[in-house]
Amino acid sequence: MAPMKDSLASLWATRLRQNQGIRSLMEDLGQVTGHPDEILLGGGNPAHIPEAEEIFAECFLTLAKDPLLNALLGDYQAPIGNDRFRSLAAEYLSSHLDASLTKDNIAFLNGSQNAYSYLLNIHSGKMTDGSFKKILLPIVPEYIGYADQSIEADAFIATKPEVIPTGNHRFRYGLNKNDFDLSEVGCVALSRPTNPTGNVLSLTDLDWIESKTKKRSLPLLIDLAYGNPFPNLIGEEEPVTYRDGRTLSFSFSKIGLPGVRLGIIVSNPETIQTLSSYAAVGNLAVGNLGVYMMEILFRKDILPLLSKNVLRPFYDKKRELAISIFESTFQKLGVEYEIHDPMGGFFLWIRFPNLSISNHKLYHLCKDKRLFIVSGHYFFPGLNSDFSHTQDCIRLTYCRKEEELARGAHILAEIVATHQMKSK
Ligand SMILES: Cc1ncc(COP(=O)(O)O)c(C=O)c1O
């Protein structure tokens, strides 16, 4: 029998079928077998923290007994949420973002990932005046999940960041102000804290970027999945507020509820209306569970205290532990390494400057030993110049148990140690 011919696919589908970082990372999570040797330092799952899980379970039980349970299970919301939930979120977030929001500034989506797949396409691609506008990522590496969200190819631009040495085995990426060019740009997007590096852009840098975007009336998208007011993993930096010209996104995932899939967007009414159209077409409606849980958590004002008393101390302690485990193992096995200053979030971004193989190859060698990490090459969408960090960095999460971190550090260090170039 003649082999089946590949069916004709759209350019978008063809691009999506190529191996994407976010798909590979999420599929790795889905392929976990529970084998005791598996070490899961790859994906973005938050840690299971009993004090937080107890609060969420209580919410769940309250909802299960609520006379509105039938509505939760049996009715659609409006595409971006019913007005009463949007008004509640507007009032609640106003006090945390130093703003006067109304429901017209609020949209709920099925996760902030879902929101970005619309937002990035609202602000990039072919415009009504015939021009083609791109998404500027002011500092790469930047969140792996943005990379394939634009329907148009080549929609991202980025320049090489400044690399600032900050101490022994430490560095930080800084904003490259010299090559900051908005002439082809439709929006600027950044995560704060940044996934993957843990960078937390200073408000001074944010203001500098905004002084440029405002001149051209360009939206500034700030992704606060790990930011303020919850889970508020922003280290010593100041919180972000809402202002006209900004689109802020919040997520319930990193407080410990990734399975609930709730993302909240705060923006101007026009963008919110456009999101409503997208949401109706793409989802019909936001899911009910997240917004019902939000109602309880916001009314009781639980999240700021949960962040301050439980989440931040937990992740601070984990970070210190992970750094000490990885550094001592690297030093014991003679691995040359540099770690990005872990200012926020819950990842470590590690550079192996003498690596003789690519980071992608390193990922596969680790996976062969059941250690899951993420190769850093995925995190540079739009960067078209040579930059060694695209080939010699990895991301790993420190949300796991001490024993698992220690086994992971050992396997990683052994592999890197056997694939290092001779020191100059
Ligand atoms: C920076 C950042 N933004 C957005 C998301 C998407 O999160 P969710 O769709 O679960 O809200 C993630 C998830 O890892 C993330 O790391």
Side-chain angles (χ1 to χ4, degrees):
M1 223 168 56
M4 282 252 298
K5 257 179 74 180
D6 275 353
S7 58
L8 193 61
S10 70
L11 289 174
W12 187 33
T14 308
R15 202 156 50 81
L16 281 176
R17 274 189 209 162
Q18 286 156 9
N19 187 25
Q20 310 142 305
I22 194 67
R23 177 171 162 198
S24 145
L25 182 161
M26 294 308 286
E27 286 186 350
D28 276 354
L29 283 182
Q31 285 165 9
V32 167
T33 62
H35 191 284
D37 288 349
E38 267 167 356
I39 303 166
L40 307 178
L41 309 188
N45 269 335
H48 286 269
I49 307 175
E51 293 95 320
E53 290 183 327
E54 219 172 279
I55 291 172
F56 302 144
E58 243 174 67
C59 279
F60 209 73
L61 289 176
T62 308
L63 290 175
K65 287 187 227 134
D66 194 304
L68 291 178
L69 178 66
N70 288 339
L72 188 161
L73 297 176
D75 293 340
Y76 287 118
Q77 288 282 299
I80 51 169
N82 293 350
D83 284 356
R84 88 177 164 91
F85 293 112
R86 292 169 67 206
S87 297
L88 170 72
E91 191 187 331
Y92 184 78
L93 290 173
S94 289
S95 63
H96 289 282
L97 300 172
D98 192 21
S100 305
L101 304 169
T102 72
K103 69 173 178 47
D104 298 332
N105 299 108
I106 304 288
F108 303 116
L109 280 298
N110 295 319
S112 57
Q113 182 76 15
N114 180 218
Y116 264 73
S117 68
Y118 299 141
L119 282 169
L120 295 181
N121 285 300
I122 290 173
H123 297 305
S124 71
K126 199 152 184 204
M127 299 282 135
T128 47
D129 66 358
S131 63
F132 188 93
K133 295 292 184 195
K134 298 193 176 194
I135 302 148
L136 175 74
L137 304 177
I139 300 190
V140 281
E142 183 50 275
Y143 175 46
I144 191 171
Y146 302 150
D148 291 292
Q149 290 196 313
S150 64
I151 293 171
E152 304 277 0
D154 301 322
F156 288 90
I157 45 174
T159 55
K160 237 197 259 187
E162 296 210 332
V163 179
I164 307 161
T166 54
N168 202 12
H169 298 290
R170 291 286 185 282
F171 73 101
R172 188 183 167 184
Y173 295 117
L175 187 61
N176 175 349
K177 294 184 180 166
N178 296 327
D179 297 326
F180 195 88
D181 177 6
L182 293 178
S183 51
E184 291 180 22
V185 167
C187 71
V188 173
L190 60 99
S191 54
R192 184 186 193 267
T194 308
N195 172 359
T197 55
N199 208 345
V200 184
L201 201 66
S202 71
L203 291 191
T204 316
D205 278 347
L206 210 53
D207 287 345
W208 186 90
I209 294 174
E210 196 162 37
S211 69
K212 307 288 174 197
T213 52
K214 272 223 176 292
K215 272 195 200 135
R216 291 173 177 258
S217 303
L218 293 176
L220 174 59
L221 276 47
I222 311 176
D223 178 342
L224 298 169
Y226 306 81
N228 63 282
F230 48 81
N232 206 26
L233 306 176
I234 58 172
E236 302 308 313
E237 291 296 327
E238 294 293 311
V240 165
T241 55
Y242 178 73
R243 293 181 202 156
D244 201 32
R246 293 182 174 184
T247 294
L248 306 183
S249 66
F250 307 89
S251 170
F252 266 18
S253 298
K254 311 305 171 179
I255 62 172
L257 293 172
V260 165
R261 312 301 305 126
L262 182 70
I264 307 174
I265 299 300
V266 175
S267 188
N268 60 71
E270 195 192 346
T271 302
I272 295 294
Q273 280 305 314
T274 316
L275 278 176
S276 183
S277 303
Y278 267 104
V281 171
N283 306 336
L284 277 192
V286 64
N288 280 329
L289 181 60
V291 285
Y292 276 73
M293 289 186 83
M294 177 204 76
E295 185 175 30
I296 299 176
L297 294 169
F298 281 7
R299 280 203 197 289
K300 295 190 174 168
D301 200 16
I302 286 171
L303 297 182
L305 277 184
L306 177 71
S307 302
K308 179 167 176 267
N309 296 335
V310 176
L311 304 180
R312 276 181 71 130
F314 177 92
Y315 287 112
D316 282 349
K317 212 164 137 204
K318 268 276 182 235
R319 183 180 59 244
E320 292 315 312
L321 176 72
I323 287 176
S324 95
I325 289 174
F326 277 92
E327 290 210 287
S328 62
T329 314
F330 290 159
Q331 285 167 15
K332 206 157 66 193
L333 296 190
V335 169
E336 298 207 22
Y337 69 94
E338 294 167 7
I339 301 178
H340 189 285
D341 282 345
M343 305 164 70
F346 48 61
F347 297 111
L348 291 182
W349 177 258
I350 307 177
R351 176 168 189 240
F352 300 113
N354 275 341
L355 197 63
S356 61
I357 53 174
S358 71
N359 42 9
H360 199 204
K361 174 85 181 157
L362 175 61
Y363 156 81
H364 281 290
L365 293 177
C366 290
K367 194 170 167 181
D368 290 345
K369 302 220 172 242
R370 299 185 199 265
L371 164 63
F372 292 83
I373 56 170
V374 184
S375 168
H377 75 282
Y378 293 118
F379 294 83
F380 297 83
L383 181 69
N384 290 323
S385 50
D386 281 346
F387 184 37
S388 61
H389 291 222
T390 62
Q391 293 298 306
D392 59 18
C393 292
I394 61 154
R395 185 196 83 176
L396 48 85
T397 173
Y398 49 79
C399 290
R400 310 296 295 180
K401 294 207 167 80
E402 178 171 357
E403 166 279 327
E404 197 175 341
L405 291 171
R407 274 192 296 130
H410 195 79
I411 292 172
L412 178 63
E414 270 189 342
I415 297 174
V416 175
T418 55
H419 293 93
Q420 288 191 119
M421 293 176 280
K422 294 262 175 302
S423 292
K424 290 149 219 156

